[in-house]
């Protein structure tokens, strides 16, 4: 029995205050769409009959997504194509944030780059049901694919035997359109012009789909091509404070409060501005042939590419510890010093502001990147359906690469320098240099030239075969079986990383006090466009100069030769090389049952997947005593058995209870398995950077349990409440620690397998259209989902340290999405807010506040509205980050030790959608 929601005074009052329905009602457009009662397949037992309820595109998409959730044997949430097209989202990564239990993270280049499910990043990506990945990684970079290319996004939060092995978080399946999805010819195009606040340009976002199908004597044929293009000139600015440490004077003696407490202050202050011009394109095709009603052959593929020319512009000052502060403020946030050593456990209080004057090091630097990459997948498949038996088989090939060259020149300022730290107002670091010396090109002197490159590649040839036998009667509805074989290669290379000083050196002794006059920038390169000016913001209150991206790129070889280096890119570094071949053979057997229990309909799955993995690794090991690399070869073999079971109990047509249990597994990332040691020697302003994988990492295992109570009270209306628990063993987390290699100080970053742990939580979701409201108000609807997550794991406090209970990386305890939408009279509008709580992003080197790197995300309010000018033409207006929220990062808990603020962009776009 379907239930109609009550018309509470509060809900009606709130809804009546909204403007859009009033505007829509003023249009007085007659209702011409098909009503819900007239839909094909509707039965007398369907939802409560509603007068003049229109089946709009948005309603259809929400209903389809709701049906996928209700009819699945697993816990699944979906977004369908029409839904995505009406959201203010450019990429698949952006669109996924609307799914219950999915959280996203912003990258440093102005776009969404991280997608986690219930706080876990170990996500398997599939395209039309087959695995897809980007370059040398295990997962797909969802930002690579424009949202306009997608038919359906489905997030599987629980596992069953047919799903590919490899993700304890879940599976994200991307379904692209095929020609048989349409009744006949289809031509559709979109174009949006996007204006961003910080990027400043008007950028295009376009797509074109062409599809048709034909009946011939040889059967029915269909062909589809779809093109997508996104260009964005972006600016992603950050202002940061280096790690907190015990404050000392110029001689290394700790500075204490009047009460004798130690004082914690940032090691330095800086900015990191990422400005770039990124172009993304995609092309997918599909050919379908049905020689008979029961047989289908298809050939389909995807190609996506990215070109990203961007500069990382740095401006920083490191006076702390070099000279004593001339002014200092200390707050009342005090705690036990957690840094091992002489002062461990002593009371330490956070400084709130300070001023340092002297010949301290301050510099600007530009890292000039020209990144490019691509992903390609092609598949040939065959399907046959008999009365009881269904068979399918498919061959696929996936490949991709990503290349990132980086060219850097540092320039430093002549002293003396006065650095002013204004404290942590606004939850971020506020700093500047007195007199603004960084805006005068005559104050700059050349320092090191640094160049590096990295290239990652991956390819896979795969085959799969699947079958299902449907029984005519009995409790077993279908027996499902299949096999998969995949041969995967992952490879990564990189160059040596050495900073080369300018001719004659940058100076003598304290180079800030005694710079080499021959290397004054304006003297060395007179009359050139060497410097570009960077803007100020709320944390960095002054403009500053840094080497220009275009100048560095155009004159790379000239600068190399000036520094005494040969033309062309630096040579390869053995410590940054690995090649891994992984062969997987899997088989599954699974029964779907459909019976009755205590008079209630009960269905579900019982099955198991068995997978054998053989892996060979070629890399180079490093001998710290000799500084030499030598070839290294390792081989491993493993077999895993993963059982699963689920039950879906239907109390009536509206209420059902879903319970699942499964063992899941996630393999370590290929790069994390590489034991080679990459060394990036230190410079005047930082310790050396070292990175290594860990060949001893084991797969992450999880015993997963889910229960979901669901109420479907209308065709576009449901509420659900779910509980989940993950018993996790071997969760992989990254750590940074201070080490000495070859007599030099390095910060080593390395992954470690943790011990046992857990992740648990609750999910709630609600979706409803307010059809019961009168007139224009009936076009209103709302969606809300909420996820609470808690978890921890046994892991080392730091590399080589004792085992302790630590929080899981990426896990935000509180997450929710709230969407208010309207669709009627040709008007469609959405107001969407996404919230993700604070979380641990990683574990740094030891500091006075511990080693947790915590992030408070930028939680966005987005809006979009469209109007159907004609049945085939729609105008669209959209805006993102209406509240101007920014991302904040902290050293440990609280807000007294900000690591950085990252200024999130705001965009406004206007466009058109056309169908012919």
């Amino acid at each position: 029995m379907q239930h109609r929601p009550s018309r509470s005074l509060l809900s009606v009052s709130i809804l009546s205050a909204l403007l859009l329905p009033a505007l829509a009602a003023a249009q007085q457009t007659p209702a011409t769409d098909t009503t819900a009662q007239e839909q094909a397949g509707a039965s007398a037992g369907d939802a409560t009959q509603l007068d003049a309820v229109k089946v709009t595109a948005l309603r259809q998409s929400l209903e389809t997504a709701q049906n996928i959730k209700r009819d699945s044997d697993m816990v699944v949430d979906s977004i369908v194509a029409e839904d995505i097209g009406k959201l203010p989202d450019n990429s698949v990564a952006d669109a996924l944030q609307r799914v219950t239990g999915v959280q996203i993270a912003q990258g440093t280049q102005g776009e969404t780059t991280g997608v986690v499910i219930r706080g876990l990043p170990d996500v398997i990506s599939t395209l039309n049901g087959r695995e897809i990945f980007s370059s040398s990684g295990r997962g797909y970079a969802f930002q690579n694919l424009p949202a306009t290319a997608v038919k359906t996004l489905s997030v599987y939060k629980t596992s069953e035997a047919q799903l590919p092995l490899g993700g304890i978080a879940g599976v994200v399946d991307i379904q692209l359109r095929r020609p048989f999805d349409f009744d006949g010819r289809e031509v559709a195009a979109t174009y949006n012009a996007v204006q961003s606040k910080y990027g400043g340009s008007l950028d295009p976002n376009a797509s074109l789909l062409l599809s048709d199908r034909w009946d011939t004597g040889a059967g029915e044929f269909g062909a589809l091509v779809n093109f997508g293009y996104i260009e964005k000139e972006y600016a992603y600015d950050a202002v940061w404070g280096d790690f907190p440490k015990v404050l000392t004077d110029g001689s290394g003696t700790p500075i204490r409060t009047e009460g004798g407490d130690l004082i914690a202050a940032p090691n330095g202050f800086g900015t990191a501005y990422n400005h770039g011009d990124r172009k993304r394109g995609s092309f997918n095709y599909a050919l379908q042939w049905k020689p008979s009603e029961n047989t289908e052959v298809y050939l389909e593929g995807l190609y996506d590419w990215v070109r990203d020319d961007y500069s990382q512009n740095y401006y920083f000052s490191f006076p702390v510890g070099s000279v004593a502060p001339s002014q200092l403020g200390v707050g009342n946030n005090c705690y036990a010093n957690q840094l091992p050593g002489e002062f461990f456990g002593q009371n330490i209080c956070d400084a709130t502001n300070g001023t340092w004057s002297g010949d301290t090091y301050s510099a600007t630097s530009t890292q000039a990147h020209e990144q490019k990459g691509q992903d390609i997948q092609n598949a040939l498949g065959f399907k046959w359906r008999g009365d009881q038996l269904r068979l399918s088989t498919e061959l696929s090939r996936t490949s991709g690469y990503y290349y990132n060259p980086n060219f850097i020149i540092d320039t430093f300022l002549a002293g003396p320098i006065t650095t002013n730290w204004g404290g942590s107002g606004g939850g971020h670091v506020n700093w500047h240099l007195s007199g603004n010396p960084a805006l005068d090109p005559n104050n700059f002197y050349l320092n090191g030239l640094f160049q590096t490159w990295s290239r990652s590649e991956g390819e896979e040839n795969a085959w799969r075969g699947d079958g299902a036998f449907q029984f005519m009667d009995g409790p077993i509805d279908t027996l499902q079986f299949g096999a998969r074989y995949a041969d995967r290669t992952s490879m990564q290379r990189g160059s040596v990383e050495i900073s080369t000083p300018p001719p004659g050196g940058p100076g003598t002794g304290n180079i800030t006090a005694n710079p080499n006059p021959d290397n004054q920038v304006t003297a060395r390169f007179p009359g050139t466009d060497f410097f570009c000016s960077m803007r100020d913001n709320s944390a960095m209150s002054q403009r500053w100069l840094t080497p220009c991206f275009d100048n560095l790129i155009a004159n790379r070889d000239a600068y190399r030769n000036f520094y005494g280096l040969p033309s062309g890119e630096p040579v390869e570094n053995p410590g940054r090389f690995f090649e891994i071949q992984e062969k997987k053979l899997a088989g599954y057997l699974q029964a779907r049952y459909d019976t009755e229990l205590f008079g209630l309909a009960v269905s579900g799955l019982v099955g198991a997947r068995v997978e054998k993995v053989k892996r060979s690794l070629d890399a180079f090991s490093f001998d710290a005593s000799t500084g030499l690399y030598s070839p290294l070869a390792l081989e491993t073999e493993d077999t895993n058995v993963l059982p699963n079971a689920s039950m879906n109990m239907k109390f009536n047509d509206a209420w059902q209870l879903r319970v699942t249990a499964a063992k899941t597994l996630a393999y370590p990332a290929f790069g994390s398995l590489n034991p080679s040691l990459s060394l990036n020697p230190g410079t005047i302003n930082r310790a050396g950077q070292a990175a290594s994988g860990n060949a001893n990492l084991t797969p992450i295992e999880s015993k997963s349990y889910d229960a979901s109570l669901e109420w479907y009270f209308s065709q576009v209306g449901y509420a659900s409440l779910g509980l989940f628990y993950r018993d996790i063993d071997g969760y992989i987390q990254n750590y940074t620690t201070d080490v000495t290699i070859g007599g030099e100080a390095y910060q080593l970053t390395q992954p470690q397998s943790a011990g046992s742990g857990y992740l648990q939580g609750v999910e709630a979701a609600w979706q409803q259209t307010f059809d019961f409201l009168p007139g224009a108000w009936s076009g209103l609807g709302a969606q809300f989902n909420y996820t609470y997550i808690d978890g921890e794991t046994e892991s080392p406090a730091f590399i080589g340290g004792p085992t302790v209970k630590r929080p899981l990386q990426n896990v935000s305890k509180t997450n929710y999405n709230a969407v208010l939408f309207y669709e009627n009279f040709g008007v469609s509008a959405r107001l969407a807010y996404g919230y993700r709580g604070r979380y641990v992003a990683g574990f740094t080197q030891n500091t006075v506040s511990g080693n947790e790197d915590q992030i408070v995300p930028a939680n966005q309010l987005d809006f979009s509205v469209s109007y159907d000018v004609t049945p085939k033409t729609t105008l669209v207006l959209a805006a993102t980050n209406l509240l101007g929220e920014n991302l904040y990062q902290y050293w440990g808990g609280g807000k007294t030790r900000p690591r950085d603020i990252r200024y999130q962009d705001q965009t406004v776009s206007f466009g058109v959608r056309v169908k012919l």
Side-chain angles (χ1 to χ4, degrees), residues 387-399:
D387 291 337
Q388 292 179 264
L389 180 65
R390 300 192 307 271
L391 298 173
S392 65
T393 186
E394 182 182 82
L395 289 170
S396 65
R397 175 174 173 78
T398 307
S399 64

Side-chain angles (χ1 to χ4, degrees), residues 796-833:
F798 49 88
I799 296 179
T803 298
V804 296
K805 296 281 189 180
R806 300 299 297 268
L808 292 170
Q809 288 179 211
N810 301 300
V811 174
S812 298
K813 286 195 172 183
T814 302
N815 312 268
Y816 64 84
N817 287 282
V819 180
L820 184 65
F821 61 85
Y822 180 84
E823 191 164 58
N824 211 345
F825 304 108
V827 176
S828 179
R830 284 177 176 272
L831 187 66
Y833 181 74

Side-chain angles (χ1 to χ4, degrees), residues 246 248 252-254 256 262 337-347:
V246 175
T248 63
T253 302
R256 295 181 180 267
L262 296 168
N337 178 17
Q338 300 181 50
L339 185 65
E342 179 183 357
F343 306 112
F344 177 78
Q346 293 189 24
N347 205 46

